[in-house]
Amino acid sequence: MIALPAIDLREGKCVQLVGGDYANERVRIDDPLAQARAFHAMGFTWLHVIDLDAATGRGENLALTERLVRESGLRVQVGGGVRTVERAAQLFDAGAERVIVGTRAIEDPAFREDVVRAFPGRIVVAADVRDREVVTRGWAARTGLSIASFALELGALPIGGILVTAVHREGALAGADTALCQELTQVTAAPIFASGGVTTLDDLARLRDAGGAGAVIGMALYTGALDGRAVAREYGR
């Protein structure tokens, strides 16, 4: 299992929110590229970048995102507001290893298939989950779709993985939802990337034992709850 430190972009800054709530910002770092390079110095090899402004329709940080992809020294999976095949291609052209698609890929099966077929094995579908239900549009819209059913459906496509964010754990340092990860690895062969609540090395070990392919870590690294160098030694490569 690989650990991916997270850089969430808001207004050109690196931030961490609790529960995805813009009013509940707990971390703000002025230089996201310096932070990415700090993760590289710790020993991480991958980076997870999300343009929150693009994802929520508040603007975009495209130029900064492309700089992170090109200059961080890390392999990058990137998402946030990727709603067209052309935008995905732009990020791949910038050097992204994987591109994450979210709301439109959930709501528009034709787009989902088009973008996955255009970049087989390199598209990660993001599914944000609350009470085992997929939610969209900044976690505000319920879909009535169970995450298990959606994961089973995605398994028919050549995707690069499913990014499952446990919304109820996001930014709260409440521990990872290991049971959710295990449930999904039992219904699909697609790689599962877990996000939300990762706080301890034990969380990472349990996600690994549950079959997780990767874990996205945000708040715990920024607050010091997790020692980045220790995480990178065990899960950074």
Side-chain angles (χ1 to χ4, degrees):
M1 187 182 77
I2 193 79
L4 301 93
I7 287 186
D8 294 342
L9 300 175
R10 176 185 183 184
E11 300 166 345
K13 312 298 183 184
C14 170
V15 303
Q16 285 288 289
L17 312 178
V18 176
D21 183 358
Y22 261 52
N24 202 354
E25 180 182 292
R26 297 292 178 85
V27 173
R28 175 169 284 239
I29 296 170
D30 287 339
D31 190 340
L33 183 57
Q35 182 60 56
R37 288 171 171 161
F39 286 138
H40 184 245
M42 290 176 193
F44 289 101
T45 56
W46 277 89
L47 184 67
H48 174 87
V49 176
I50 297 295
D51 186 341
L52 294 177
D53 293 330
T56 58
R58 290 175 167 90
E60 67 174 18
N61 299 274
L62 180 58
L64 176 56
T65 297
E66 291 184 347
R67 282 198 71 199
L68 287 165
V69 169
R70 292 188 175 112
E71 301 177 29
S72 66
L74 295 157
R75 302 174 73 184
V76 182
Q77 69 176 29
V78 58
V82 180
R83 300 182 179 92
T84 65
V85 174
E86 291 74 21
R87 181 60 169 261
Q90 186 176 11
L91 293 168
F92 282 125
D93 287 345
E97 292 277 347
R98 294 191 290 252
V99 170
I100 302 163
V101 294
T103 294
R104 188 179 176 196
I106 293 168
E107 298 177 347
D108 184 346
F111 165 70
R112 181 169 71 231
E113 180 152 351
D114 285 347
V115 72
V116 170
R117 299 291 183 192
F119 307 102
R122 301 186 70 190
I123 296 294
V124 173
V125 178
D128 299 333
V129 178
R130 182 185 286 116
D131 298 325
R132 300 303 190 265
E133 180 186 5
V134 177
V135 293
T136 60
R137 302 187 178 274
W139 306 347
R142 299 182 61 177
T143 64
L145 180 66
S146 81
I147 181 57
S149 297
F150 187 53
L152 188 62
E153 182 179 348
L154 289 174
L157 292 173
I159 60 174
I162 307 172
L163 172 65
V164 182
T165 298
V167 172
H168 50 292
R169 306 290 180 97
E170 181 70 12
L173 298 176
D177 193 335
T178 310
L180 174 59
C181 181
Q182 189 163 38
E183 288 166 22
L184 296 180
T185 58
Q186 290 173 348
V187 299
T188 180
I192 301 297
F193 297 92
S195 178
V198 176
T199 307
T200 66
L201 288 171
D202 284 345
D203 284 331
L204 290 167
R206 285 191 288 268
L207 288 170
R208 177 198 61 206
D209 293 345
V216 175
I217 313 173
M219 193 72 78
L221 289 175
Y222 289 98
T223 61
L226 269 174
D227 180 339
R229 292 187 182 277
V231 174
R233 279 196 300 271
E234 186 74 18
Y235 301 101
R237 300 181 186 278

